[in-house]
Amino acid sequence: MNIKDKKNFSEKWFSYLQEQICNHFENLEGELKSKKKFISTNWRKNVSINGGGTYKILKNGKIFDKVGVNKSTVSGKFSKQFRKSIPGAQKDGRYWASGISVVAHMKNPKIPAIHFNTRFIVTSQSWFGGGIDLTPCIKDKKEEIYFHSKLKNVCKENSKSYDKYKSSCDKYFFLPHRNEPRGIGGIFFDYEDKNWEKDFKFVREVGISFIEISNSIIKKKMKKKFNSKEKEKQLIKRGRYVEFNLLYDRGTKFGLNSGGNTEAILMSLPPEVKW
Amino acid sequence: MNIKDKKNFSEKWFSYLQEQICNHFENLEGELKSKKKFISTNWRKNVSINGGGTYKILKNGKIFDKVGVNKSTVSGKFSKQFRKSIPGAQKDGRYWASGISVVAHMKNPKIPAIHFNTRFIVTSQSWFGGGIDLTPCIKDKKEEIYFHSKLKNVCKENSKSYDKYKSSCDKYFFLPHRNEPRGIGGIFFDYEDKNWEKDFKFVREVGISFIEISNSIIKKKMKKKFNSKEKEKQLIKRGRYVEFNLLYDRGTKFGLNSGGNTEAILMSLPPEVKW
């Protein structure tokens, strides 16, 4: 398959997945008799980067305090400083990137915040990246085991190294200034460029798994009661989330520095936070 | 005066000023029949940096949602990358630094958040830096004029360039990703090393002015009523404050990267924020 087809295939997949995730989350809201729907915003930009995207946000739901589902496709040239660290970008720095990312901040502090993203990057090389991870503020060993075993399965069925992806995830989502992990990890992969068809299949499976996993985790707890002390704990934990995203997250930094859409990039920030 | 005396003089001044500011703010709380006092924490560290400090925090007052008054003195070696940008640090990277910083987040959204800091830095050279700036979430032209004219006076009386410091402040407290200033500015100065005695006098005057200015601004509004819409506006504005401090603030980055005290550094973050 030529690179044009690969771009087209992956980009359309991300759009498809965005639709599915949003429908799914709206249905979950419906189960709690909420009629909340995602509000969709399209953006386009042709300065410093070319491209655009659609971000969909649902706020003040019965399940979600705020959930954003962001899909964008951009192209441009990496800055000279940035090029060194990007495979295949040394020569002229040109890139093309498309991806989907989801961050869900829950109303119920018993349900963890969920983060998911997958992307396809093209320089003179091309590869997939992405991952899923959870940020609970109240420990739930059973949920943790379920979550990791589901991810382990997806990796196994696609002949991918779960152990490697798990440890990349633990390494990435860590706050050195607090000496604490952001959450309980999950999987995080990058530079997947072995076999395009197989890698793309894996990326699709991770996307579908995200829907299944979030569905299962949310349904188990969405009707559970919680108290103000637990909510307070969640608001404090969200502060760590903000610290991570603004201080360390590579995607956030890259997005803001390259002139991406601020609202879409900072969609990941929680609706209400305490320090 | 030799450098040891300069260090001693400035450090003790910052401690003195910390006491004065805290007393002053506690008295203001008292005027609203609040008995809230600052809680003081000492920290020391001898890994990656040598030094310590005292941070004082007052939370959930009748005037202050959260105010932190932080004084610390640290020494160490700048990383190779960092040295290039620091006067007098090229040779061996050693530094000594002492300073005081204050961030006050108000209960009443009609009163702006106030930020103040002054510091004395020693490498093979030595200089003072600091500033004062306001972040209102509700426009108040009269207050703005009062604030800037007070700062203009302090500069004038000390033969310092108000215009230069004002424009440095505007330039520094700016969020490029939002294309908006953090607040209404103030003064911001760095690398003051013309005449130690005069520079130190200026730094002292700026400290005392900070007490006068905050006193005047707070007293004028501390009994004013506000509604939930105004409070909401404040919580959103605080989000911008967090974005600035975690994405761009040099002091925050330097502190966290050099292994400073996380609680003291992130003292500047507001107690409650919305996005």
Side-chain angles (χ1 to χ4, degrees):
Chain A
M1 203 181 296
N2 66 33
I3 194 68
K4 205 182 140 199
D5 288 340
K6 288 176 181 174
K7 284 179 179 175
N8 191 35
F9 253 114
S10 54
E11 185 183 359
K12 294 284 155 54
W13 164 258
F14 297 138
S15 289
Y16 163 81
L17 190 62
Q18 184 185 34
E19 285 294 313
Q20 298 312 307
I21 291 167
C22 292
N23 286 340
H24 217 86
F25 285 173
E26 285 177 355
N27 288 342
L28 281 172
E29 283 285 331
E31 290 194 24
L32 290 191
K33 314 231 176 311
S34 147
K35 285 178 181 165
K36 281 276 166 179
K37 301 288 171 198
F38 279 87
I39 290 170
S40 189
T41 308
N42 298 313
W43 63 275
R44 286 215 66 78
K45 209 154 191 178
N46 290 302
V47 191
S48 69
I49 59 168
N50 288 301
T54 303
Y55 59 93
K56 291 168 182 276
I57 297 186
L58 188 156
K59 277 185 93 164
N60 303 317
K62 289 198 172 164
I63 291 171
F64 302 100
D65 266 351
K66 182 184 174 191
V67 50
V69 184
N70 187 13
K71 187 246 154 180
S72 63
T73 303
V74 296
S75 59
K77 272 190 170 205
F78 287 125
S79 70
K80 289 222 165 124
Q81 213 198 342
F82 216 75
R83 285 178 200 178
K84 291 176 220 160
S85 54
I86 310 283
Q90 282 77 358
K91 214 175 155 193
D92 65 5
R94 273 187 297 180
Y95 71 91
W96 178 97
S98 184
I100 177 172
S101 70
V102 182
V103 177
H105 295 288
M106 312 300 181
K107 189 180 186 110
N108 192 326
K110 289 180 175 162
I111 310 176
I114 309 183
H115 167 238
F116 156 74
N117 98 78
T118 45
R119 54 191 178 268
F120 181 52
I121 316 276
V122 181
T123 57
S124 68
Q125 299 172 35
S126 69
W127 65 91
F128 288 99
I132 306 182
D133 68 281
L134 294 188
T135 310
C137 64
I138 296 165
K139 223 179 155 63
D140 181 341
K141 200 64 201 169
K142 242 176 146 178
E143 178 184 81
E144 207 174 319
I145 291 166
Y146 159 78
F147 174 66
H148 288 299
S149 75
K150 283 291 282 185
L151 294 177
K152 192 171 185 172
N153 266 352
V154 193
C155 293
K156 211 174 152 191
E157 281 167 12
N158 287 276
S159 309
K160 299 289 187 185
S161 169
Y162 166 72
D163 290 341
K164 187 178 140 198
Y165 297 164
K166 184 181 188 303
S167 83
S168 299
C169 188
D170 289 339
K171 208 175 151 193
Y172 185 74
F173 292 107
F174 188 79
L175 287 77
H177 66 285
R178 301 262 182 205
N179 195 30
E180 66 185 43
R182 188 175 80 169
I184 60 156
I187 55 169
F188 182 88
F189 57 95
D190 213 352
Y191 310 118
E192 284 298 319
D193 62 353
K194 311 272 147 43
N195 173 310
W196 196 83
E197 281 73 16
K198 283 185 184 167
D199 293 342
F200 183 40
K201 176 173 176 288
F202 175 59
V203 161
R204 292 196 309 272
E205 305 274 299
V206 170
I208 298 301
S209 295
F210 163 70
I211 295 182
E212 286 171 8
I213 289 169
S214 49
N215 191 48
S216 163
I217 286 176
I218 290 168
K219 274 197 162 172
K220 220 165 244 153
K221 290 175 167 176
M222 66 186 184
K223 289 176 182 170
K224 289 214 167 162
K225 295 218 165 88
F226 61 90
N227 59 37
S228 62
K229 222 175 158 179
E230 289 164 326
K231 189 65 188 177
E232 188 77 9
K233 212 174 166 184
Q234 184 194 42
L235 299 183
I236 297 289
K237 185 73 178 167
R238 284 181 181 169
R240 306 293 191 266
Y241 210 92
V242 173
E243 289 174 18
F244 180 84
N245 282 28
L246 299 182
L247 286 170
Y248 306 115
D249 188 55
R250 293 199 293 249
T252 303
K253 266 189 208 313
F254 170 68
L256 295 178
N257 287 330
S258 65
N261 183 282
T262 296
E263 291 298 335
I265 296 162
L266 297 185
M267 180 199 78
S268 63
L269 298 180
E272 201 190 342
V273 187
K274 286 194 176 180
W275 270 278
Chain B
M1 202 181 299
N2 67 33
I3 194 69
K4 207 183 138 199
D5 289 339
K6 288 177 181 175
K7 285 179 180 176
N8 192 35
F9 253 115
S10 53
E11 185 183 358
K12 294 283 154 55
W13 164 258
F14 296 139
S15 289
Y16 164 82
L17 191 61
Q18 185 185 34
E19 285 296 312
Q20 298 313 307
I21 291 167
C22 292
N23 286 340
H24 218 86
F25 285 175
E26 285 175 356
N27 289 343
L28 282 172
E29 282 285 332
E31 290 195 25
L32 291 191
K33 312 233 178 307
S34 147
K35 285 177 182 165
K36 281 277 168 181
K37 301 286 170 200
F38 279 87
I39 290 169
S40 188
T41 307
N42 296 314
W43 63 276
R44 285 214 65 77
K45 209 156 192 176
N46 290 302
V47 191
S48 70
I49 58 166
N50 289 301
T54 303
Y55 59 91
K56 293 169 182 277
I57 297 185
L58 187 157
K59 277 183 93 165
N60 302 318
K62 289 197 175 165
I63 291 170
F64 302 101
D65 266 352
K66 183 184 173 192
V67 51
V69 184
N70 187 14
K71 186 247 155 181
S72 63
T73 303
V74 297
S75 59
K77 271 189 170 203
F78 287 126
S79 70
K80 290 223 164 122
Q81 215 198 339
F82 217 76
R83 285 178 201 178
K84 291 176 222 159
S85 53
I86 310 283
Q90 281 78 358
K91 214 177 156 190
D92 65 6
R94 275 188 295 181
Y95 71 92
W96 177 98
S98 184
I100 177 173
S101 69
V102 181
V103 177
H105 294 288
M106 311 301 181
K107 191 181 184 109
N108 192 325
K110 289 179 177 162
I111 310 176
I114 308 184
H115 168 239
F116 155 74
N117 99 78
T118 46
R119 56 191 177 268
F120 181 52
I121 316 276
V122 181
T123 58
S124 68
Q125 299 172 36
S126 69
W127 66 90
F128 288 100
I132 306 183
D133 68 281
L134 293 189
T135 310
C137 63
I138 296 165
K139 223 178 158 61
D140 180 342
K141 201 65 201 168
K142 243 175 147 178
E143 178 185 80
E144 206 174 317
I145 291 166
Y146 160 78
F147 175 66
H148 289 299
S149 75
K150 283 292 279 182
L151 294 177
K152 193 170 184 173
N153 267 351
V154 194
C155 293
K156 210 175 153 191
E157 281 166 13
N158 287 277
S159 310
K160 300 289 187 184
S161 168
Y162 166 72
D163 290 341
K164 186 179 142 197
Y165 297 164
K166 184 181 188 301
S167 82
S168 299
C169 189
D170 289 340
K171 207 175 153 193
Y172 185 74
F173 293 107
F174 188 79
L175 288 77
H177 66 286
R178 300 263 184 205
N179 194 29
E180 67 186 41
R182 188 175 79 168
I184 59 154
I187 55 168
F188 182 88
F189 57 95
D190 212 352
Y191 311 118
E192 283 299 318
D193 63 352
K194 311 272 146 42
N195 174 309
W196 196 82
E197 281 72 15
K198 283 185 183 167
D199 293 341
F200 183 38
K201 175 173 177 288
F202 175 59
V203 161
R204 292 196 308 272
E205 305 276 297
V206 170
I208 299 300
S209 296
F210 163 70
I211 295 182
E212 288 171 5
I213 290 169
S214 48
N215 192 49
S216 161
I217 287 176
I218 290 168
K219 274 195 164 171
K220 221 165 245 154
K221 291 175 168 176
M222 67 187 183
K223 289 176 182 170
K224 289 214 168 160
K225 294 220 165 83
F226 61 90
N227 60 36
S228 61
K229 220 174 162 180
E230 289 163 326
K231 189 67 189 173
E232 186 79 10
K233 211 173 166 187
Q234 184 194 43
L235 299 182
I236 297 288
K237 186 72 179 170
R238 284 182 180 170
R240 305 294 190 267
Y241 209 91
V242 173
E243 290 174 18
F244 179 84
N245 282 26
L246 299 181
L247 285 170
Y248 306 114
D249 188 55
R250 293 199 294 249
T252 304
K253 267 190 208 312
F254 170 68
L256 295 178
N257 287 331
S258 66
N261 184 283
T262 296
E263 291 299 334
I265 297 162
L266 297 184
M267 182 200 77
S268 62
L269 299 179
E272 201 190 341
V273 187
K274 286 193 175 181
W275 271 278

